[in-house]
Amino acid sequence: MSKLGKFFKRGSSRSRAAPSPQEALARLRETEEMLGKKQEYLESRIHRELSLARRHGTRNKPAALQALKRKKRLEKQLSQIDGTLSTVEFQREALENAHTNTEVLRSMGLAAKAMRAAHENMDLNKIDDLMQEVTEQQDVAQEISEAFSQRTGFGEDFDEDELMAELEELEQEELNKKMTNIRLPNVPSSSLPAQPDRTPSSLGPAARPRAAPSRRAGGEDEDLKHLAAWAS
């Protein structure tokens, strides 16, 4: 067994109860934050060593080589940090999913227990009987409503023809009363005066038409027109 395996074996035997998912997630997030800061530090160191190597260049090759060696070591550490961070992130995501599944399962279990407790005092036979009774009572209520809505005919069995004949008699009586109250105008006792005879023979000499003389002037023509109109 490797030393690393022996170390974890001793650590597991000494460990207390397993931490809760919330505690483990908090530790993993802290580890991610620490590794992220370590990444930033290594990247800044690598950039500084690279700038130092460029500055020395061919003028101071030993210093430039030492800067490049430090850069390589830092890049190796950065690569290890990247791998470790990926592993921690994967573990955190797996633990979050497991915690979510656990909470969902717990909630579903509580819901199942609640439904079982709610249905514990329910009997299907009693439910069927209750629904049948409700249906019957609804039918009774409907019949009562229909009975109330129907018109009651207490002593109203009359002959429609007889009622119409009586109504016509009443209308005729009312019409006769109106006719008796109407006053006609009196007929005159004396005879009307005779109309005057308007034949040409009854007219006087002056009214008889005379033969039209020949036109002599405009004034005479106008007098003849007035005479003809009066005679007609």
Side-chain angles (χ1 to χ4, degrees):
M1 183 181 295
S2 63
K3 294 181 179 180
L4 187 60
K6 293 179 180 179
F7 173 77
F8 280 109
K9 186 176 181 181
R10 289 196 302 268
S12 61
S13 62
R14 297 175 185 175
S15 62
R16 295 174 296 177
S20 63
Q22 292 84 355
E23 294 176 353
L25 287 172
R27 292 294 300 272
L28 288 173
R29 292 190 182 98
E30 291 177 359
T31 304
E32 285 185 34
E33 185 177 359
M34 180 190 66
L35 293 175
K37 292 180 179 180
K38 185 69 174 178
Q39 277 183 326
E40 294 178 358
Y41 171 74
L42 292 175
E43 288 174 354
S44 64
R45 285 286 307 276
I46 291 172
H47 182 71
R48 186 170 57 186
E49 296 296 337
L50 183 59
S51 300
L52 185 60
R54 288 175 178 174
R55 186 168 63 250
H56 290 296
T58 57
R59 292 177 298 177
N60 191 355
K61 288 185 178 181
L65 291 174
Q66 291 296 326
L68 291 176
K69 289 179 181 179
R70 289 192 297 269
K71 171 182 167 295
K72 291 295 184 181
R73 289 196 301 267
L74 293 172
E75 287 178 347
K76 185 177 181 180
Q77 292 181 19
L78 182 60
S79 178
Q80 293 175 352
I81 293 295
D82 290 340
T84 304
L85 184 59
S86 299
T87 304
V88 173
E89 289 177 351
F90 175 79
Q91 188 176 10
R92 177 182 55 78
E93 293 173 357
L95 184 57
E96 287 177 347
N97 293 333
H99 177 61
T100 302
N101 295 334
T102 303
E103 291 297 325
V104 171
L105 183 61
R106 184 180 302 173
S107 300
M108 293 177 65
L110 292 175
K113 290 180 181 179
M115 292 179 65
R116 189 182 303 110
H119 296 159
E120 186 175 359
N121 296 326
M122 291 185 182
D123 188 2
L124 292 178
N125 295 327
K126 292 182 179 180
I127 294 175
D128 292 339
D129 296 339
L130 178 61
M131 294 305 297
Q132 186 176 0
E133 184 178 356
V134 169
T135 303
E136 292 176 356
Q137 293 302 320
Q138 288 179 349
D139 295 338
V140 172
Q142 182 67 25
E143 292 178 0
I144 293 173
S145 299
E146 292 178 357
F148 280 134
S149 62
Q150 292 178 357
R151 296 179 58 186
T152 57
F154 296 114
E156 293 187 359
D157 296 335
F158 302 113
D159 188 1
E160 295 291 337
D161 295 337
E162 184 179 354
L163 293 176
M164 291 299 297
E166 186 175 355
L167 180 60
E168 291 178 358
E169 291 179 0
L170 294 175
E171 292 177 351
Q172 187 64 36
E173 291 179 1
E174 187 68 22
L175 182 61
N176 293 336
K177 289 181 181 180
K178 291 182 179 180
M179 294 296 295
T180 55
N181 292 332
I182 295 176
R183 294 182 179 180
L184 298 176
N186 296 327
V187 179
S189 58
S190 60
S191 60
L192 297 175
Q195 294 291 331
D197 189 5
R198 300 190 62 84
T199 58
S201 59
S202 62
L203 297 176
R208 294 177 182 175
R210 292 178 293 179
S214 61
R215 294 183 178 180
R216 296 179 181 178
E220 293 179 355
D221 294 339
E222 192 71 20
D223 293 337
L224 289 176
K225 289 180 181 180
H226 284 293
L227 181 61
W230 178 81
S232 62

